[in-house]
Amino acid sequence: AQTVTQSQPEMSVQEAETVTLSCTYDTSESDYYLFWYKQPPSRQMILVIRQEAYKQQNATENRFSVNFQKAAKSFSLKISDSQLGDAAMYFCAYNQGGSEKLVFGKGTKLTVNP
Amino acid sequence: AAGVIQSPRHLIKEKRETATLKCYPIPRHDTVYWYQQGPGQDPQFLISFYEKMQSDKGSIPDRFSAQQFSDYHSELNMSSLELGDSALYFCASSLKGGNYGYTFGSGTRLTVV
């Protein structure tokens, strides 16, 4: 079974600084998708960024980018110019191609200090 | 833009009672998913429906059942509620396969007392 590991239960960053959240996963499949979801105190799960495993280019969405290392099965999220509104729980998630369910990591709680 | 609508937002039930949660997916999304998130936990997959048929099943207790109706809305029915069922229940929708990521609803907070 696929597993997703987030080794940092909590992280903090100063406003306007950059922070990187770690995620590793375990799979024997070649066709899969990786996601980062944000869950603020409002509890809504919001899709931040998506990466297709067959694409070598790292995905980028404005201030959010990933470092996808397929051989190492690593998928870290970099948040640049951190803002107070970035404070949330961040979940890394895996989806196997052809499957429907997402497998989530345990999450990293990000605090942004003014 | 229309989002995934869940109702109710909050629900308080007593042990052994029954609860019904509703989910209205984004128009044209053909797949609906249900997840359970316990306090301080990551979301756990319960069940999914594609075109009104159950398509995948996770760690859903036998006391729970779900279905998707002709208008694509879905309901999660939970019977003989236990204290451990207290959690946030998310519904999400997507186009088939979920490869593009889901859109989640705001969740239903179920408290069993």
Side-chain angles (χ1 to χ4, degrees):
Chain A
Q2 292 83 12
T3 58
V4 177
T5 302
Q6 293 179 248
S7 59
Q8 307 152 316
E10 296 187 26
M11 292 281 284
S12 64
V13 63
Q14 291 296 127
E15 196 175 3
E17 296 293 307
T18 295
V19 64
T20 298
L21 309 184
S22 301
C23 173
T24 58
Y25 58 95
D26 184 25
T27 184
S28 57
E29 303 294 328
S30 59
D31 177 24
Y32 56 89
Y33 303 80
L34 297 164
F35 306 87
W36 279 97
Y37 277 88
K38 169 185 177 181
Q39 187 176 37
S42 66
R43 80 193 188 193
Q44 175 101 39
M45 293 285 281
I46 302 165
L47 178 62
V48 175
I49 202 164
R50 167 183 177 268
Q51 176 78 42
E52 299 165 353
Y54 62 86
K55 286 189 175 179
Q56 292 186 334
Q57 186 173 3
N58 289 322
T60 299
E61 288 288 341
N62 300 313
R63 297 182 294 107
F64 299 86
S65 62
V66 298
N67 183 4
F68 174 47
Q69 301 289 325
K70 191 171 183 178
K73 297 180 182 175
S74 171
F75 182 61
S76 60
L77 175 70
K78 186 172 81 171
I79 306 174
S80 304
D81 186 25
S82 297
Q83 300 175 0
L84 295 178
D86 294 333
M89 197 74 166
Y90 285 82
F91 289 98
C92 179
Y94 167 100
N95 170 253
Q96 181 180 321
S99 171
E100 293 173 357
K101 70 177 184 181
L102 285 177
V103 177
F104 287 88
K106 296 297 183 186
T108 296
K109 182 179 179 181
L110 178 66
T111 301
V112 181
N113 300 308
Chain B
V4 177
I5 307 299
Q6 288 188 248
S7 66
R9 285 272 289 173
H10 301 273
L11 190 58
I12 300 175
K13 290 286 186 178
E14 294 188 353
K15 283 194 305 182
R16 293 180 290 278
E17 284 193 320
T18 296
T20 297
L21 310 185
K22 296 185 178 182
C23 170
Y24 296 84
I26 289 176
R28 295 188 304 279
H29 278 188
D30 51 24
T31 309
V32 169
Y33 315 80
W34 286 96
Y35 280 77
Q36 178 192 57
Q37 186 179 26
Q41 300 296 312
D42 54 298
Q44 295 293 315
F45 174 72
L46 292 177
I47 196 167
S48 62
F49 292 88
Y50 168 65
E51 287 291 346
K52 292 157 281 185
M53 298 289 289
Q54 181 182 309
S55 51
D56 201 356
K57 194 171 181 179
S59 50
I60 184 170
D62 292 340
R63 299 178 289 107
F64 293 9
S65 65
Q67 58 181 324
Q68 187 178 28
F69 295 86
S70 57
D71 64 351
Y72 289 90
H73 95 271
S74 179
E75 294 184 3
L76 177 66
N77 297 290
M78 298 176 283
S79 62
S80 302
L81 287 169
E82 302 173 355
L83 296 178
D85 296 330
S86 295
L88 190 57
Y89 290 83
F90 283 109
C91 173
S93 73
S94 75
L95 293 172
K96 179 72 171 85
N99 297 157
Y100 291 92
Y102 304 164
T103 300
F104 281 86
S106 296
T108 293
R109 172 77 68 191
L110 172 66
T111 303
V112 182
V113 297

